């Protein structure tokens, strides 16, 4: 999505929006809105739209707790795919801040909430889940996957409750 910037925001109590802008002029190129359904209360310094989108040359990938993971066309904002995910629950009401990360042909997303903590690897073209690692001992984290290369081998590293865990990008192990 060269030359474009993408952001999201709440636009009412039960609507979230995604915007595409020209990076040079600031001109809004497109916008999309979705009904979110009923949302729980969160802390005053957070927003339900805290997750940031990520983009490649073709698509913008966007997560919202009641919508799951979505991909839209970076040029037009048109739907490409949507993958429902379990609605997260965080006991303390802080809200989420987890954001997707791109790695090669994968979209990585760590949702470490109180009920369904997991690291997901999606096929970025189709939204199909390639692998999923349950993180039942890693609940209530707010970390994003990081790609580390050691001796020429890539590893997906995710912070957790008191430790870092490395995953094989091909299998999730």
């Amino acid at each position: 999505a060269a030359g474009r910037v993408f952001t999201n925001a709440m636009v009412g109590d039960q609507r979230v929006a995604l915007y595409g802008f020209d990076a040079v002029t600031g001109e809004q190129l497109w916008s999309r809105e979705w009904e979110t359904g009923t949302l729980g209360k969160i802390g005053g310094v957070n927003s339900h739209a805290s997750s940031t989108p990520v983009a490649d040359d073709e698509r913008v990938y966007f997560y919202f707790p009641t919508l799951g993971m979505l991909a839209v066309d970076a040029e037009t904002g048109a739907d490409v795919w949507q993958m429902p995910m379990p609605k997260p629950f965080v006991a303390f009401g802080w809200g989420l801040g987890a954001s997707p990360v791109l790695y090669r042909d994968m979209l990585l997303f760590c949702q470490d909430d109180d009920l369904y903590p997991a690291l997901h690897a999606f096929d970025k073209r189709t939204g199909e889940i390639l692998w999923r690692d349950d993180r039942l001992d890693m609940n209530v984290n707010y970390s994003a996957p990081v790609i580390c290369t050691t001796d020429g081998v890539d590893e997906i590293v995710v912070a957790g409750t008191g430790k870092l865990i490395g995953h094989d990008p091909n299998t999730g192990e």
Side-chain angles (χ1 to χ4, degrees):
R4 295 189 185 93
V5 175
F6 306 98
T7 190
N8 55 298
M10 292 301 298
V11 289
D13 291 339
Q14 294 186 10
R15 293 189 73 74
V16 64
L18 181 64
Y19 303 95
F21 295 94
D22 182 286
V24 175
T25 67
E27 175 189 358
Q28 183 176 314
L29 302 172
W30 54 262
S31 69
R32 292 289 312 278
E33 289 188 20
W34 293 268
E35 289 288 333
T36 63
T38 303
L39 301 171
K41 297 226 181 258
I42 60 171
V45 297
N46 202 355
S47 163
H48 288 289
S50 291
S51 296
T52 56
V54 64
D56 59 20
D57 289 341
E58 298 176 19
R59 299 183 180 134
V60 182
Y61 306 91
F62 171 62
Y63 171 79
F64 194 83
T66 59
L67 302 174
M69 191 65 69
L70 298 98
V72 301
D73 185 276
E75 204 170 304
T76 65
D79 290 337
V80 176
W81 55 259
Q82 181 174 1
M83 178 60 69
M85 296 178 68
K87 184 177 174 184
F89 174 77
V90 180
F92 297 112
W94 295 326
L96 296 177
S99 299
V101 173
L102 286 166
Y103 170 72
R104 296 188 179 163
D105 289 334
M106 281 185 247
L107 180 69
L108 304 170
F109 183 69
C110 187
Q111 178 178 311
D112 282 349
D113 66 295
D114 288 331
L115 297 177
Y116 310 104
L119 174 62
H120 301 81
F122 298 91
D123 181 316
K124 73 176 191 173
R125 295 173 301 257
T126 65
E128 173 189 354
I129 293 180
L130 300 171
W131 52 261
R132 180 180 183 276
D133 180 54
D134 289 321
R135 292 168 51 90
L136 296 173
D137 58 343
M138 298 293 152
N139 59 346
V140 194
N141 286 299
Y142 302 95
S143 58
V146 176
I147 308 305
C148 296
T149 305
T150 305
D151 296 330
V153 178
D154 288 346
E155 190 173 2
I156 300 166
V157 178
V158 186
T161 305
K163 57 184 149 184
L164 292 173
I165 298 177
H167 298 267
D168 180 324
N170 299 310
T171 64
E173 292 181 16

